[in-house]
């Protein structure tokens, strides 16, 4: 043990602890040697030997009151240089009066003490079950004794762990990103022959996708080589191959044991701000970059003869592609089940299969009931070779159809030194007197893009003139093809009804056809024959109609995405990569928090009911400033946290209890992911029926930010804090909406009980007032949001740039506040407890893990700008590389 000489006394008193890790169990014969050093500078390992003492465990067990008094001997064993009092501490349930054997002198000198520390899991760790061991690794434990207001003692244990999901979730996402982009390339190739203009665009888009895929494959290969710790240290935040990995992701649990009370525990996930640190923040973060890019796309779409599709239309196209790809095999499989039931002459099986088939087919038809599909088919037709619009027959003076430039891709035009045609002082997207006549068809929203002024001085083309027309294209053809699916389903339903009518009669009399729509379809079939023979032609026709619709819809929606990508090259794909990076970090943190919260609540019926009825709130606390590069990080983080709305969770039964089979699995695509969390069979069987049936469990992420450092001081006085204000206001509205939904569906008895009596509604009202109040460094917003999250059974996250320094100040403050408010920590010793946690607790160990130095990365000038309650104790900070 090391005893730092910090009290300036010639006869100081210190208290520290020693534990035996499970791989080195202690027995009565075990000999323990204590060596004491005078530590002058712990960070630089500057210490001098004082003395040592040796005892056996059996000596301690046989001693009176489980205490031994030992003399420290010098290196030659002659001189006694001090005294060591060795005590055995029972880490189980505490009884009143436990640990009163500590001498009165020590009690007076140090009311807040670290009594035990361990860098590995120990037998005293009740939370290290096989379930948690599959996902959480390398625990660091610290145990304290603190005095309460009634002079009793509480035992407080911190446990910090790494999470395997830091790497496994990003690896899975990278694999899904690669698969999705490869499918997109194949879909683009399946568009068939296109005009030279569109074919050039397609080639460039495919090339860009190929570059992204190659980069992701390279990153994935590097990640697969990594072994060792399950976290990315803060000093590696800008490494290219680690950009998808969250920074310094750890779980932290505080467990409190008080006399005559049930143990309580409080969890928080600490993680560096999800942001693209490798790519940098010179142009800002995602929120600003996406907004700017969306404005530029409108002008580029006109210049490059693309239809501008809004983000909503692009999302709809992706949704249609997913729906048809998902539903077609389901419909085909259900149709085969229907035929199998017919072959077995099982009317019950026939009806059950038909009911499911009808439901999925109706869902399929409804997914395609959108004008976007119809308009995209028309746009695709105009992009095929040989297509001529009406106005192209009226060639303007000096224009002979499309010029050479019309057949070049955006990057090729850039190589020739040409940008989208604009007049000096002419803003993008607005017509000018010298713009080339460009036909832009967009009848999705009932209008078309503003047409440029024609050079002959005539009025712009009207909407009906700007819609391309072609004698070979029938605009009603899609409606007929789409409607054929429903008609085919009706034929199948009618035939099943007919078979059911024949069944009870049990004779060979022919029954009348129940629906006129069958007249030209089934009159040639013998109703007296085999059921399968009568149903088979109708089922085959249904499958053919579905397949034809899928081919058309897939090509149409792929063409929408081609135009969106063409208008975005190259910036759009760079932004997609940045968004992928940020989302990967955010999802890894969310999955870690969800698993930790689920494991903790497995025996809480109220929590499980809330989980499947409403879902959980995930509250992210951020301490980033709104100045310099940190404003870019916050803009990244805002988008990344918002994108978590696209994530759902499902609980599954694990194949085995092996840790490999208990790892969460990610499935889905960019616009919707599902994280499947496997549980051992016995644990899974205790869940509510709805969860066991695979119900999607929702999470509602909210982000609250309050900057506290010296850069925030500059932003408050001279900069712009509107981003922080907007984030807090918008996320308060989400949190308030969640609370109202929870109140309607879940009784208050399902929520946890706290000593503080303030009503949740009042807490939300106070938070709402603070969000709109103009107050510098209003950290009460963070305190209130955290309190509300815990009262709502939510998942707590705390972040700063690296989750190391400011995050440590916030986590320790929250822990001591909980001890004061919920467990009667003596208020006179609040600051002592806070300093003890910051000096000797898990957070300083986190600093050591990240930068190999036990000092927070603050200097005195920075700390002068911090709120006082966020300042670390003397001797624990300094200028270090972070």
């Amino acid at each position: 043990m090391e005893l730092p000489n910090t009290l300036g006394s010639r006869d100081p008193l210190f208290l520290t602890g020693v534990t035996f890790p499970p791989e080195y169990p202690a027995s009565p014969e075990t000999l323990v040697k204590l060596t004491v050093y005078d530590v002058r500078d712990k960070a630089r390992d500057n210490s001098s030997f004082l003395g040592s003492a040796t005892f056996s465990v059996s000596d301690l067990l046989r001693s009176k009151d489980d205490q031994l008094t030992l003399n420290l001997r010098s290196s030659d064993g002659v001189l006694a240089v001090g005294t060591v009092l060795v005590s055995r501490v029972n880490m189980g349930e505490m009884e009143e009066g436990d640990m009163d054997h500590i001498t009165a002198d020590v009690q007076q000198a140090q009311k807040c003490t670290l009594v035990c520390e361990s860098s590995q899991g120990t037998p005293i760790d009740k939370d290290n079950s096989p379930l948690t061991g599959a996902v959480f690794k390398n625990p660091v434990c610290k145990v304290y004794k603190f005095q309460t207001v009634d002079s009793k003692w509480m035992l407080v244990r911190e446990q910090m762990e790494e999470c395997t999901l830091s790497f496994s979730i990003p690896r899975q996402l990278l694999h899904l990103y690669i698969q999705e982009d490869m499918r997109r390339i194949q879909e683009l190739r399946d568009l068939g022959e296109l005009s030279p203009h569109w074919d050039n665009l397609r080639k460039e888009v495919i090339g860009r996708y190929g570059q992204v895929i190659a980069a992701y494959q390279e990153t994935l290969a590097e990640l697969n080589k990594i072994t060792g710790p399950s976290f990315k240290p803060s000093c590696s935040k800008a490494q290219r191959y680690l950009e998808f990995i969250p920074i310094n992701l750890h779980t932290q649990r505080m467990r409190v044991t008080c006399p005559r009370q049930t143990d309580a525990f409080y969890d928080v996930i600490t993680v560096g701000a999800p942001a693209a640190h490798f790519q940098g923040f010179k142009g800002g973060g995602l929120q600003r970059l996406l907004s700017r890019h969306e404005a530029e796309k409108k002008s580029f779409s006109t210049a490059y003869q693309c239809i501008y599709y809004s983000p909503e239309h692009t999302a709809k196209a992706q949704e249609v592609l997913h729906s048809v790809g998902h539903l077609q095999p389901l419909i085909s499989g259900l149709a085969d089940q229907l035929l199998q039931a017919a072959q077995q002459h099982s009317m019950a099986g026939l009806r059950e299969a038909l009911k499911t088939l009808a439901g999925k087919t109706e869902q399929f038809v409804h997914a395609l009931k959108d004008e976007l599909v119809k308009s995209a088919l028309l746009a695709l037709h105009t992009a095929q070779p040989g297509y001529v619009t009406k106005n192209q027959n009226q060639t303007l003076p000096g224009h002979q159809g499309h010029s050479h430039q019309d057949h070049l891709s955006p990057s090729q035009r850039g190589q020739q030194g040409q940008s989208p045609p604009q007049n000096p002082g002419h803003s993008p997207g607005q017509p000018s007197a010298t713009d080339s006549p460009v036909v832009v068809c967009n009848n999705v929203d009932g209008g078309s893009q503003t047409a440029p002024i024609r050079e002959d001085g005539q009025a712009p083309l009207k909407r009906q003139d700007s819609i391309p027309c072609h004698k070979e294209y029938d605009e009603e053809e899609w409606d007929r093809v789409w409607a054929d699916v429903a008609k085919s389903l009706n034929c199948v339903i009618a035939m099943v009804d007919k078979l059911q009518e024949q069944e009870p009669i049990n004779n060979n009399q022919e029954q009348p056809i129940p629906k006129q729509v069958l007249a030209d379809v089934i009159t040639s079939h013998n109703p007296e024959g085999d059921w399968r023979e009568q149903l088979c032609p109708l089922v085959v026709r249904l499958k053919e109609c579905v397949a034809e619709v899928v081919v058309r819809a897939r090509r149409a929606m792929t063409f929408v995405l081609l135009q969106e990508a063409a208008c975005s090259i190259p910036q759009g794909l760079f932004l997609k990569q940045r968004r992928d990076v940020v989302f990967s970090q955010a999802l890894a943190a969310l999955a870690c928090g969800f698993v930790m919260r689920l494991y903790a609540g497995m025996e809480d019926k109220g929590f499980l009911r809330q989980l499947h009825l409403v879902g959980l709130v995930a509250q992210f606390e951020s301490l980033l400033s709104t100045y310099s590069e940190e404003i870019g990080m916050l803009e990244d983080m805002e988008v990344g946290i918002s994108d978590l709305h696209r994530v759902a969770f499902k609980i599954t039964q694990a194949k085995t209890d092996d840790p490999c089979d208990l790892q969460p699995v990610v499935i889905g695509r960019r616009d919707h992911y599902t994280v499947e969390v496997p549980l051992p069979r016995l644990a899974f069987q205790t869940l509510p029926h709805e969860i066991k049936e695979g119900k999607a469990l929702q999470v509602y992420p909210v982000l609250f930010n309050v900057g506290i450092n010296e850069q925030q001081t500059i932003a408050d006085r001279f900069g712009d804090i509107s981003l922080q204000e907007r984030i807090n206001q918008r996320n308060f509205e989400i949190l308030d909406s969640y609370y109202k939904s929870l109140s309607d569906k879940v009784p208050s008895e399902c929520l946890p009980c706290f000593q503080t009596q303030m009503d949740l509604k009042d807490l939300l009202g106070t938070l709402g007032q603070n969000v709109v109040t103009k107050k510098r460094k209003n950290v009460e917003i963070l305190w209130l949001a955290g309190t509300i999250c815990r009262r709502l059974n939510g998942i707590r996250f705390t972040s700063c740039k690296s989750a190391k320094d400011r995050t440590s100040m916030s986590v320790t403050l929250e822990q001591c506040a909980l001890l004061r408010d919920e467990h009667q920590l003596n208020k006179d010793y609040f600051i002592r407890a806070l300093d003890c946690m910051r000096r000797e607790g898990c957070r300083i160990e986190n600093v050591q893990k990240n930068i190999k130095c036990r000092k927070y990365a603050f200097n005195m000038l920075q700390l002068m700008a911090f709120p006082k309650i966020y300042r670390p104790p003397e001797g624990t900070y300094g200028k270090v590389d972070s």
Side-chain angles (χ1 to χ4, degrees):
M1 69 180 77
E2 297 178 347
L3 302 179
N5 186 6
T6 57
L7 296 184
S9 168
R10 293 184 178 181
D11 189 23
L13 292 171
F14 297 95
L15 186 63
T16 190
V18 178
T19 59
F20 294 97
E23 59 267 29
Y24 300 108
S27 67
E29 292 76 26
T30 300
L31 291 178
V32 180
K33 182 178 181 180
L34 304 177
T35 304
V36 182
Y37 295 88
D38 179 14
V39 180
R40 300 293 179 180
D41 190 336
K42 197 170 186 177
R44 298 180 181 179
D45 198 22
N46 182 9
S47 61
S48 59
F49 174 82
L50 288 179
S52 62
T54 303
F55 68 95
S56 68
V57 173
S58 60
D59 293 338
L60 180 60
L61 295 175
R62 290 195 300 265
S63 64
K64 184 180 179 180
D65 298 328
D66 290 334
Q67 288 189 112
L68 284 177
T69 301
L70 306 174
N71 290 325
L72 287 175
R73 297 287 179 179
S74 58
S75 57
D76 56 11
V78 176
L79 297 177
V81 295
T83 301
V84 174
L85 178 66
V86 180
S87 302
R88 184 168 71 93
V89 179
N90 179 15
M91 303 306 295
E93 292 295 327
M94 289 182 59
E95 299 295 337
E96 186 174 356
D98 278 358
M99 293 187 289
D100 287 342
H101 59 269
I102 305 297
T103 63
D105 289 339
V106 175
Q107 289 186 33
Q108 294 301 320
Q110 200 168 344
K111 292 286 177 67
C112 302
T113 55
L114 177 71
V115 300
C116 176
E117 63 177 311
S118 172
S119 61
Q120 300 293 331
T122 69
I124 66 172
D125 188 359
K126 301 176 184 177
D127 301 321
N128 281 347
S129 67
L131 193 63
T132 60
V135 178
F136 304 111
K137 304 287 185 182
N138 302 326
V140 173
C141 306
K142 296 296 178 85
V143 182
Y144 315 85
K145 78 170 182 63
F146 294 140
Q147 194 176 55
T148 62
V149 293
D150 55 359
S151 299
K152 299 292 191 305
W153 295 95
M154 71 174 81
L155 202 64
V156 179
R157 185 184 57 167
E158 286 182 308
Q159 178 163 314
M160 178 181 70
E161 293 179 286
E162 300 166 13
C163 182
T164 61
L165 304 185
S166 286
F167 283 84
S168 70
I169 293 293
R171 285 192 188 107
Q172 292 180 65
L173 277 178
L174 277 166
H175 184 67
L176 292 174
Y177 292 156
I178 292 168
Q179 285 185 325
E180 184 176 344
D181 289 347
M182 291 178 73
R183 285 196 302 269
R184 185 59 39 78
I185 288 177
Q186 187 58 49
E187 289 165 352
L188 289 171
R189 289 172 176 158
D190 290 343
L191 283 176
E193 190 178 2
L194 298 176
S195 65
H197 170 74
W198 286 108
D199 194 46
N200 283 333
L201 289 175
R202 174 169 58 180
K203 288 177 181 177
E204 177 146 9
V205 170
I206 288 176
R208 294 289 184 179
Y209 272 118
Q211 294 173 11
V212 173
I213 291 171
Y216 284 4
Q217 288 174 331
E218 184 180 359
T219 300
L220 184 57
E222 292 297 322
L223 290 180
N224 288 333
K225 298 176 184 177
I226 295 177
T227 58
S230 301
F231 82 106
K232 180 175 83 173
S234 62
C235 56
S236 301
K237 58 178 166 282
Q239 287 189 14
R240 175 190 168 192
Y241 293 129
L242 296 178
E243 63 176 342
F244 288 86
I245 311 300
I247 300 168
N248 192 19
L249 175 61
H250 282 80
T251 66
Q252 183 152 329
R253 170 169 291 177
M254 180 178 73
R255 192 176 194 115
V256 186
T257 303
C258 292
R260 299 186 301 275
Q261 290 185 12
T262 304
D263 285 11
F265 59 85
Y266 306 92
D267 295 339
V268 64
I269 314 300
T270 59
V271 62
H277 295 272
F278 171 74
Q279 297 179 31
F281 308 96
K282 289 184 178 179
L286 274 172
Q287 188 271 335
R288 195 187 329 172
L289 293 171
L290 288 170
S291 178
R292 185 188 307 152
H293 175 65
E294 199 59 39
E296 292 172 348
K297 271 172 56 179
K298 295 181 181 180
S299 61
F300 289 155
S301 64
T302 301
Y304 301 143
Q305 302 185 31
C306 301
I307 298 175
Y308 168 74
Y309 288 102
S310 68
E312 292 75 20
H313 286 143
T314 303
K316 180 63 179 178
Q318 293 171 334
E319 180 185 337
V320 170
L321 277 173
H322 172 74
S323 295
V324 297
H326 173 69
L327 291 172
Q328 183 189 14
L330 284 180
I331 292 172
S332 180
L334 291 168
D336 292 339
Q337 290 180 24
L338 185 73
L339 292 178
Q340 185 177 4
Q343 187 172 2
Q344 297 170 353
H345 275 249
S346 169
M347 183 52 65
L350 206 61
R351 277 294 173 191
E352 183 65 28
L354 179 62
K355 180 181 178 182
T356 310
L357 175 64
K360 293 300 179 184
T361 306
E362 289 170 7
Q363 187 180 344
F364 175 83
V365 172
H366 180 74
L368 297 170
K369 190 179 181 180
D370 196 293
E371 280 296 312
L372 178 62
V373 182
K374 188 175 181 178
S375 63
L377 282 169
L378 175 59
L380 175 60
H381 182 71
T382 66
Q384 293 171 346
Y387 178 78
V388 180
T389 58
K390 281 183 179 179
N391 68 305
Q392 284 176 316
N393 291 324
Q394 303 171 358
T395 305
L396 298 175
H399 291 271
Q400 299 295 326
H402 289 295
S403 69
H404 171 66
Q405 291 294 329
D406 292 331
H407 300 285
L408 295 181
S409 66
S411 64
Q412 288 172 318
R413 296 183 187 202
Q415 291 168 5
Q416 294 195 7
Q418 250 181 295
S419 58
Q422 294 179 19
N423 284 339
H426 176 62
S427 61
Q430 294 181 348
S432 69
T434 60
D435 281 336
S436 301
V438 178
V439 177
V440 182
C441 170
N442 184 3
N443 55 1
V444 177
D445 54 3
S448 61
Q449 291 284 67
T450 303
I453 302 296
R454 292 169 55 171
E455 291 185 352
D456 56 7
Q458 297 181 19
L461 295 174
K462 296 181 181 179
R463 177 177 179 273
Q464 59 267 30
D465 295 327
S466 67
I467 297 178
C469 58
H470 194 278
K471 64 180 180 180
E472 296 180 0
Y473 182 74
D474 184 354
E475 293 188 20
E476 296 180 358
E477 184 179 7
W478 166 251
D479 293 332
R480 290 194 297 270
V481 172
W482 173 67
D484 280 347
V485 176
K487 291 178 181 178
S488 300
L489 176 64
N490 287 336
C491 290
V492 173
I493 293 173
M495 176 57 77
V496 173
D497 289 342
K498 177 178 174 57
L499 294 175
Q500 186 174 21
E501 291 174 5
Q502 292 176 346
E503 179 67 11
I505 296 176
N506 198 22
N507 59 34
N508 292 332
Q509 295 181 2
E510 182 175 341
Q511 299 298 315
I513 296 175
K515 291 192 177 182
Q516 184 63 35
V517 72
L518 288 173
D520 59 344
V521 182
I522 64 173
T523 52
S524 61
H525 298 293
N526 180 10
E528 301 174 5
D530 182 70
W531 286 5
R532 180 184 175 89
E533 291 180 1
Q534 297 179 66
L535 270 175
C536 190
L538 304 179
V539 168
V540 169
R541 176 59 181 159
L542 172 63
K543 292 166 73 172
E544 289 174 348
C545 290
V546 168
E548 185 176 1
V549 167
V550 166
V551 170
R552 292 171 183 261
R554 183 172 285 154
R555 294 179 71 235
M557 296 300 94
T558 300
F559 190 64
V560 170
L561 298 180
L562 169 61
Q563 294 179 89
E564 193 272 339
C567 296
S568 304
I569 292 175
Q571 184 67 8
L573 289 180
F574 290 153
L575 287 178
K576 188 181 76 168
Q577 286 180 269
R578 188 183 189 101
R579 200 166 188 170
D580 286 347
V581 166
V582 175
F583 179 76
S584 173
Q585 297 177 27
L587 181 59
L590 178 65
C592 170
F594 182 88
V595 170
M596 189 180 195
R597 187 66 191 88
L598 176 66
Y599 288 176
M602 287 295 295
E603 298 178 1
D604 186 343
K605 302 300 182 184
F607 164 76
L608 293 174
R609 184 178 179 185
Q610 173 188 351
L611 180 60
H612 75 79
L613 285 177
V614 186
L616 300 180
V617 65
Q619 184 251 328
F620 289 80
E621 171 187 310
S622 169
L623 298 158
L624 294 172
S625 68
T626 55
Y627 183 79
S628 188
E629 70 172 12
E630 286 199 6
I631 197 170
M633 296 179 200
L634 184 57
E635 290 171 339
D636 273 357
M637 187 175 184
E638 179 191 10
V639 175
I641 301 305
S642 177
D643 283 348
L644 293 176
H645 284 96
R646 301 183 276 126
V647 177
F649 289 81
K650 284 187 179 180
I651 314 300
T652 62
Q653 181 174 319
K655 296 177 182 177
T656 70
D657 290 356
D658 187 273
C660 294
D661 290 329
L662 296 175
Q663 295 294 318
V665 177
V666 185
I667 58 175
R669 62 197 187 282
R670 280 184 177 90
D671 55 335
H672 183 76
Y673 288 104
T674 299
V675 181
E676 296 182 345
V677 182
L679 293 178
R681 183 182 62 83
L682 293 179
F684 182 78
Q685 293 304 320
T686 65
L687 296 174
H689 175 75
E690 293 85 351
I691 296 179
K692 289 192 290 186
E693 288 296 308
K695 182 176 181 180
L697 309 175
Q698 301 302 317
V699 173
Y700 299 86
V702 292
L703 168 65
F704 290 91
N705 184 85
V706 176
I708 63 171
N709 65 1
E710 78 286 356
Q711 290 186 326
Q712 189 60 44
T713 302
I714 298 174
D716 287 339
R717 293 179 181 273
F718 311 109
D720 181 8
I721 61 171
S722 60
L723 173 64
Q724 176 174 285
E725 293 174 339
R726 179 178 55 77
I727 287 174
N728 292 341
Q729 179 62 42
R730 178 179 299 174
N731 285 274
F732 167 74
E733 293 168 0
I734 296 173
L735 185 61
D736 189 51
S737 175
Y738 171 84
Y739 169 70
K740 290 175 181 176
S741 176
L742 183 71
S743 301
D744 292 339
K745 298 179 181 179
V746 177
S748 58
E749 293 77 18
C750 292
L751 299 177
C753 297
F754 285 83
Q755 294 295 320
T756 49
Q757 298 299 315
M758 192 169 185
D759 185 71
L760 258 172
K761 190 174 182 180
D762 294 337
L763 285 170
L764 278 162
T766 306
L767 176 60
Q769 292 172 5
N770 275 273
V771 162
V772 298
T773 300
K774 301 290 185 180
K775 181 181 177 182
R776 294 173 181 171
K777 299 184 180 178
N778 188 5
V779 290
E780 190 172 352
I781 290 175
L782 303 181
W783 302 346
L784 286 166
T787 299
I788 292 168
C789 174
R790 294 195 185 278
R791 297 281 291 270
L792 291 174
N793 261 330
I795 312 170
R796 278 277 293 116
F797 299 83
T798 299
S799 295
C800 61
K801 182 177 181 179
S802 62
K804 177 174 59 66
D805 304 306
R806 282 169 284 179
T807 294
S808 295
M809 300 303 102
S810 177
V811 168
T812 50
L813 175 60
E814 182 180 25
Q815 288 182 165
C816 287
L818 286 166
L819 294 177
R820 178 195 62 201
D821 299 338
E822 301 298 325
H823 301 282
Q824 298 184 318
L825 173 67
N826 193 318
K827 294 182 180 179
D828 293 337
Y829 301 103
F830 177 86
I831 296 299
R832 296 188 190 183
L834 189 59
D835 286 349
C836 182
M837 284 186 175
R838 289 172 175 174
R839 181 183 292 110
E840 300 292 346
C842 286
R843 299 315 304 177
I844 198 69
E845 300 295 339
N846 183 270
V847 174
Q848 172 71 28
K849 288 177 69 173
N850 277 272
I851 61 173
K852 310 302 181 186
C853 176
R854 298 174 67 87
K855 284 188 181 294
Y856 300 110
F858 302 130
N859 58 47
M860 183 59 71
L861 183 62
Q862 288 175 310
L863 292 178
M864 289 176 63
F866 275 44
K868 289 185 178 180
I869 205 70
Y870 286 88
R871 298 175 187 175
E874 287 289 337
T876 63
Y877 58 87
K879 185 177 181 181
V880 292
D881 294 331
S882 60

